[in-house]
Short mmCIF file of all heavy atoms in Angstrom, two decimals:
data_model
loop_
_atom_site.label_atom_id
_atom_site.label_comp_id
_atom_site.label_asym_id
_atom_site.label_seq_id
_atom_site.Cartn_x
_atom_site.Cartn_y
_atom_site.Cartn_z
N ALA A 52 4.01 0.87 -6.24
CA ALA A 52 3.60 0.43 -4.90
C ALA A 52 3.14 -1.02 -5.06
O ALA A 52 2.47 -1.37 -6.02
CB ALA A 52 2.45 1.28 -4.38
N ILE A 53 3.60 -1.87 -4.14
CA ILE A 53 3.33 -3.30 -4.24
C ILE A 53 2.70 -3.82 -2.95
O ILE A 53 3.22 -3.57 -1.86
CB ILE A 53 4.63 -4.08 -4.51
CG1 ILE A 53 5.34 -3.56 -5.76
CG2 ILE A 53 4.36 -5.58 -4.66
CD1 ILE A 53 6.74 -4.10 -5.96
N PHE A 54 1.61 -4.56 -3.11
CA PHE A 54 1.00 -5.29 -2.00
C PHE A 54 1.25 -6.77 -2.28
O PHE A 54 0.69 -7.32 -3.22
CB PHE A 54 -0.51 -4.99 -1.94
CG PHE A 54 -1.21 -5.56 -0.73
CD1 PHE A 54 -1.44 -4.78 0.39
CD2 PHE A 54 -1.64 -6.87 -0.72
CE1 PHE A 54 -2.10 -5.28 1.49
CE2 PHE A 54 -2.30 -7.41 0.37
CZ PHE A 54 -2.53 -6.63 1.48
N SER A 55 2.11 -7.39 -1.49
CA SER A 55 2.49 -8.79 -1.70
C SER A 55 1.70 -9.69 -0.73
O SER A 55 1.54 -9.34 0.44
CB SER A 55 3.98 -9.01 -1.47
OG SER A 55 4.72 -8.17 -2.34
N VAL A 56 1.26 -10.83 -1.25
CA VAL A 56 0.46 -11.78 -0.46
C VAL A 56 1.23 -13.07 -0.31
O VAL A 56 1.77 -13.59 -1.29
CB VAL A 56 -0.88 -12.04 -1.16
CG1 VAL A 56 -1.68 -13.04 -0.38
CG2 VAL A 56 -1.66 -10.78 -1.34
N PHE A 57 1.30 -13.60 0.92
CA PHE A 57 2.06 -14.80 1.21
C PHE A 57 1.18 -15.86 1.81
O PHE A 57 0.24 -15.57 2.54
CB PHE A 57 3.18 -14.49 2.21
CG PHE A 57 4.15 -13.44 1.78
CD1 PHE A 57 3.92 -12.10 2.01
CD2 PHE A 57 5.31 -13.80 1.12
CE1 PHE A 57 4.81 -11.15 1.59
CE2 PHE A 57 6.23 -12.83 0.71
CZ PHE A 57 5.95 -11.51 0.92
N ARG A 58 1.52 -17.14 1.53
CA ARG A 58 0.87 -18.24 2.23
C ARG A 58 1.55 -18.43 3.57
O ARG A 58 0.91 -18.67 4.60
CB ARG A 58 0.97 -19.54 1.41
CG ARG A 58 0.16 -20.67 1.98
CD ARG A 58 0.19 -21.89 1.14
NE ARG A 58 -0.18 -21.63 -0.24
CZ ARG A 58 -1.42 -21.81 -0.74
NH1 ARG A 58 -2.37 -22.25 0.04
NH2 ARG A 58 -1.68 -21.55 -1.99
N ARG A 59 2.87 -18.34 3.62
CA ARG A 59 3.65 -18.33 4.83
C ARG A 59 4.63 -17.17 4.75
O ARG A 59 5.06 -16.80 3.66
CB ARG A 59 4.41 -19.65 5.00
CG ARG A 59 3.51 -20.83 5.35
CD ARG A 59 4.31 -22.11 5.46
NE ARG A 59 3.45 -23.25 5.28
CZ ARG A 59 3.03 -23.70 4.12
NH1 ARG A 59 3.38 -23.12 3.01
NH2 ARG A 59 2.23 -24.74 4.04
N THR A 60 5.08 -16.68 5.88
CA THR A 60 5.91 -15.50 5.91
C THR A 60 7.25 -15.73 5.21
O THR A 60 7.78 -14.84 4.52
CB THR A 60 6.19 -15.08 7.36
OG1 THR A 60 4.93 -14.92 8.01
CG2 THR A 60 6.93 -13.78 7.45
N ALA A 61 7.84 -16.89 5.33
CA ALA A 61 9.17 -17.14 4.82
C ALA A 61 9.23 -17.48 3.30
O ALA A 61 10.29 -17.70 2.78
CB ALA A 61 9.83 -18.29 5.59
N GLU A 62 8.08 -17.50 2.65
CA GLU A 62 8.04 -17.88 1.23
C GLU A 62 8.12 -16.66 0.34
O GLU A 62 8.11 -15.50 0.78
CB GLU A 62 6.71 -18.58 0.94
CG GLU A 62 6.58 -19.91 1.56
CD GLU A 62 5.24 -20.56 1.15
OE1 GLU A 62 4.39 -19.88 0.63
OE2 GLU A 62 5.13 -21.77 1.38
N HIS A 63 8.21 -16.93 -0.96
CA HIS A 63 8.06 -15.90 -1.94
C HIS A 63 6.57 -15.55 -2.01
O HIS A 63 5.72 -16.39 -1.70
CB HIS A 63 8.50 -16.39 -3.34
CG HIS A 63 9.98 -16.65 -3.40
ND1 HIS A 63 10.91 -15.64 -3.43
CD2 HIS A 63 10.68 -17.80 -3.41
CE1 HIS A 63 12.12 -16.14 -3.49
NE2 HIS A 63 12.01 -17.46 -3.46
N PRO A 64 6.25 -14.34 -2.45
CA PRO A 64 4.79 -13.98 -2.49
C PRO A 64 4.03 -14.82 -3.51
O PRO A 64 4.54 -15.13 -4.58
CB PRO A 64 4.81 -12.52 -2.89
CG PRO A 64 6.17 -12.21 -3.35
CD PRO A 64 7.11 -13.23 -2.83
N LEU A 65 2.79 -15.19 -3.12
CA LEU A 65 1.91 -15.87 -4.06
C LEU A 65 1.50 -14.94 -5.18
O LEU A 65 1.48 -15.31 -6.35
CB LEU A 65 0.65 -16.39 -3.34
CG LEU A 65 0.80 -17.50 -2.36
CD1 LEU A 65 -0.50 -17.72 -1.63
CD2 LEU A 65 1.26 -18.76 -3.05
N TYR A 66 1.12 -13.74 -4.79
CA TYR A 66 0.66 -12.71 -5.72
C TYR A 66 1.18 -11.35 -5.30
O TYR A 66 1.37 -11.12 -4.13
CB TYR A 66 -0.88 -12.63 -5.76
CG TYR A 66 -1.52 -13.92 -6.13
CD1 TYR A 66 -2.12 -14.73 -5.17
CD2 TYR A 66 -1.55 -14.36 -7.44
CE1 TYR A 66 -2.72 -15.93 -5.50
CE2 TYR A 66 -2.14 -15.55 -7.80
CZ TYR A 66 -2.71 -16.33 -6.82
OH TYR A 66 -3.30 -17.53 -7.15
N CYS A 67 1.39 -10.50 -6.29
CA CYS A 67 1.74 -9.12 -6.02
C CYS A 67 0.69 -8.23 -6.74
O CYS A 67 0.44 -8.44 -7.91
CB CYS A 67 3.14 -8.77 -6.54
SG CYS A 67 4.44 -9.56 -5.65
N ILE A 68 0.14 -7.32 -6.01
CA ILE A 68 -0.79 -6.36 -6.57
C ILE A 68 0.00 -5.06 -6.72
O ILE A 68 0.47 -4.51 -5.72
CB ILE A 68 -2.02 -6.17 -5.67
CG1 ILE A 68 -2.73 -7.52 -5.47
CG2 ILE A 68 -2.95 -5.13 -6.26
CD1 ILE A 68 -3.68 -7.53 -4.32
N GLU A 69 0.17 -4.62 -7.95
CA GLU A 69 1.04 -3.46 -8.23
C GLU A 69 0.24 -2.26 -8.68
O GLU A 69 -0.77 -2.40 -9.36
CB GLU A 69 2.04 -3.76 -9.31
CG GLU A 69 3.13 -4.70 -8.91
CD GLU A 69 4.24 -4.84 -9.94
OE1 GLU A 69 4.11 -4.24 -11.06
OE2 GLU A 69 5.23 -5.47 -9.66
N LYS A 70 0.72 -1.09 -8.28
CA LYS A 70 0.17 0.17 -8.77
C LYS A 70 1.33 0.96 -9.38
O LYS A 70 2.29 1.29 -8.73
CB LYS A 70 -0.41 0.97 -7.59
CG LYS A 70 -0.89 2.35 -7.98
CD LYS A 70 -1.37 3.12 -6.77
CE LYS A 70 -1.79 4.52 -7.15
NZ LYS A 70 -2.19 5.29 -5.91
#
Side-chain angles (χ1 to χ4, degrees):
I53 305 169
F54 187 96
S55 302
V56 178
F57 301 88
R58 188 176 306 265
R59 289 179 202 79
T60 306
E62 292 182 345
H63 293 287
L65 291 173
Y66 302 102
C67 292
I68 302 164
E69 289 189 354
K70 175 184 177 182

